[in-house]
Amino acid sequence: MQRNHIYLDYQATTPVDPRVMEVMLPYFTEKFGNPASKSHVYGWAAREAVEAARSQVAALIGATPREIIFTSGATEAINLALKGVAGMYASKGRHIITVATEHRAVLDTCKALEQSGFKVTYLGVPENGLLDLDELRRAITGETILVSVMHANNEIGVIQPMAGIGALCREKGVFLHVDGAQSVGKIPVDVQAMRIDLLALSAHKLYGPMGIGALYVRRRNPQVRLKAQIHGGGHERGLRSGSLPTPLIVGLGAACQILIDELHAEGQRIQILRDRLWSGIRSRLDQVQLNGDPHHRLPGNVNVSFGGVDGNTLLASLANIAVSSGSACTSESTEPSHVLRALGLDDALARASIRFGIGRFTTEAEIDAVVNTVVENVERLRATAPH
Ligand SMILES: *Cc1c(COP(=O)(O)O)cnc(C)c1O
């Protein structure tokens, strides 16, 4: 984009890695076949590419290829998981448990399920944003069929204790769905070790293209059955009909393959940048607070509240830096973030919060420039603010 702009919004989306783009390109043109075409070489080649990508996605999360269902993104995968379980297991119980800090894709789907007669418990979180396992244990009843907890939070980056949550759900015999849109590709995710039954992921959060994602659906110990939400030609084991977008799927696979090889080293590099950003801000400004647990958080997330400044004015002053604020996360609305509110922040402080998202193409020089710009602007706004 513009040369004088710095992109620090990697939790909103990531650019397609040029290596991924290169792998995708032939599937738009010469390798354009429909993977469902069984009678000729165009279809066979596309199908082979789709199945190779399915294996790459599965390998990144410790699943088997047959457990991967391609969708248009994490939002659709989440809808399929929640509505699919609700539709299939309603006779067993009509209670679902989730968390107040979830992404809108989960919260709004739960609201829709409430409209059709399900009861949903929204667990709160303490100031550090981490779910309390004892509280989850107490919330599970004989009616509970599903627990839905995000692995890493998109706003404050906190990482939930997933292995503990998985063990608890398995012990209680309820399915666990995990919104993994922010964790897959950023930190290790293993559906076996974490006893995850359903996991949603999104390509555009891990340097793949927009418009493609996947749902992991456990096939054994225990098998999860879902009610399909989109009907048509019976693609994807009947769970998600519609012609598969081969180029996008190939891109998702390639993006996952890069992460199988590089996730660890990339995480270390990004974490150093994250710590540099936060210590730069903290050492030069008072009245700043890091939102979310300081230790259990994504390598690439810093969410900071700046006391004594107006959030909108601050964001406007950072015109050349692409970040998100503690409001307007749901595009048009200017409501303060429901996540920051759940941590106990008041409206003004929530609005005066900024999410810095660091990623694959962020440089140390960019971090230093951002620290300088933020510090200068906060000092200037505080000096001119009416007291
Ligand atoms: C981005 C995101 C989603 C939605 O993913 P899409 O692929 O854009 O539909 C859901 N949950 C979380 C935590 C996200 O960050």
Side-chain angles (χ1 to χ4, degrees):
M1 196 77 67
Q2 286 89 346
R3 284 185 172 274
N4 59 341
H5 278 60
I6 296 176
Y7 186 77
L8 279 190
D9 207 6
Y10 279 86
Q11 272 93 56
T13 194
T14 61
V16 174
D17 189 297
R19 295 170 288 180
V20 170
M21 192 62 193
E22 201 176 320
V23 179
M24 288 168 62
L25 281 174
Y27 293 91
F28 286 105
T29 50
E30 70 262 33
K31 299 183 176 181
F32 62 86
N34 188 328
S37 298
K38 296 254 161 71
S39 55
H40 52 68
V41 67
Y42 296 87
W44 303 334
R47 186 176 184 85
E48 199 176 307
V50 165
E51 295 314 315
R54 201 186 299 280
S55 297
Q56 292 170 312
V57 175
L60 181 60
I61 59 170
T64 60
R66 283 152 61 93
E67 295 174 310
I68 302 300
I69 303 296
F70 290 116
T71 64
S72 62
T75 299
E76 189 194 326
I78 290 164
N79 272 264
L80 175 57
L82 271 52
K83 294 174 183 169
V85 165
M88 193 58 89
Y89 296 94
S91 60
K92 202 167 161 250
R94 294 184 151 257
H95 182 225
I96 294 167
I97 300 171
T98 189
V99 188
T101 49
E102 291 294 304
H103 191 273
R104 283 280 160 216
V106 168
L107 294 177
D108 290 353
T109 303
C110 284
K111 286 273 173 291
L113 287 169
E114 283 182 285
Q115 304 274 305
S116 47
F118 287 83
K119 191 177 175 304
V120 181
T121 299
Y122 301 89
L123 296 173
V125 290
E127 203 186 353
N128 66 5
L130 296 176
L131 181 61
D132 176 15
L133 289 189
D134 289 327
E135 209 177 313
L136 175 58
R137 178 182 290 277
R138 284 193 295 274
I140 297 173
T141 73
E143 283 285 296
T144 311
I145 52 171
L146 180 70
V147 169
S148 185
V149 179
M150 71 200 317
H151 192 183
N153 186 276
N154 51 301
E155 291 189 39
I156 54 176
V158 299
I159 299 166
Q160 299 294 354
M162 210 37 81
I165 294 168
L168 175 57
C169 290
R170 188 64 55 83
E171 174 199 325
K172 294 283 190 182
V174 298
F175 291 135
L176 171 62
H177 166 256
V178 174
D179 175 354
Q182 293 293 341
S183 63
V184 175
K186 310 295 159 50
I187 54 174
V189 176
D190 184 326
V191 293
Q192 297 303 348
M194 295 171 173
R195 291 171 163 67
I196 294 168
D197 299 310
L198 297 144
L199 175 89
L201 61 92
S202 175
H204 77 93
K205 303 289 176 71
L206 45 79
Y207 309 96
M210 279 180 166
I212 188 73
L215 181 66
Y216 157 78
V217 185
R218 177 175 287 282
R219 281 177 64 85
R220 47 195 298 264
N221 304 321
Q223 182 187 23
V224 183
R225 298 174 65 224
L226 296 177
K227 199 163 172 78
Q229 303 298 311
I230 296 179
H231 303 93
H235 309 72
E236 298 297 270
R237 307 183 166 278
L239 284 179
R240 203 285 192 175
S241 289
S243 295
L244 291 170
T246 310
L248 303 184
I249 290 171
V250 165
L252 171 56
C256 288
Q257 186 60 53
I258 289 172
L259 287 160
I260 289 169
D261 301 331
E262 300 180 3
L263 180 148
H264 188 70
E266 175 162 283
Q268 285 182 330
R269 189 188 76 83
I270 290 173
Q271 183 159 333
I272 290 170
L273 295 177
R274 176 196 75 184
D275 295 344
R276 188 180 181 92
L277 175 64
W278 172 228
S279 63
I281 291 173
R282 185 177 49 175
S283 64
R284 290 170 59 185
L285 289 174
D286 56 13
Q287 292 183 73
V288 290
Q289 78 177 46
L290 182 69
N291 294 310
D293 191 274
H295 306 296
H296 300 102
R297 68 186 305 128
L298 287 174
N301 176 280
V302 179
N303 188 308
V304 187
S305 296
F306 297 89
V309 293
D310 172 66
N312 287 336
T313 319
L314 175 60
L315 201 66
S317 76
L318 305 177
N320 294 334
I321 304 173
V323 289
S324 283
S325 74
S327 59
C329 258
T330 47
S331 51
E332 277 83 36
S333 92
T334 53
E335 288 290 295
S337 142
H338 70 283
V339 174
L340 296 176
R341 293 289 307 278
L343 302 189
L345 272 69
D346 64 34
D347 283 10
L349 202 55
R351 285 207 172 86
S353 304
I354 289 182
R355 176 185 71 184
F356 302 91
I358 300 157
R360 183 170 292 170
F361 304 106
T362 308
T363 64
E364 197 175 274
E366 287 179 322
I367 294 292
D368 292 345
V370 168
V371 170
N372 283 332
T373 307
V374 168
V375 169
E376 281 161 18
N377 280 286
V378 170
E379 284 175 340
R380 182 177 54 78
L381 292 173
R382 282 180 180 166
T384 56
H387 291 283

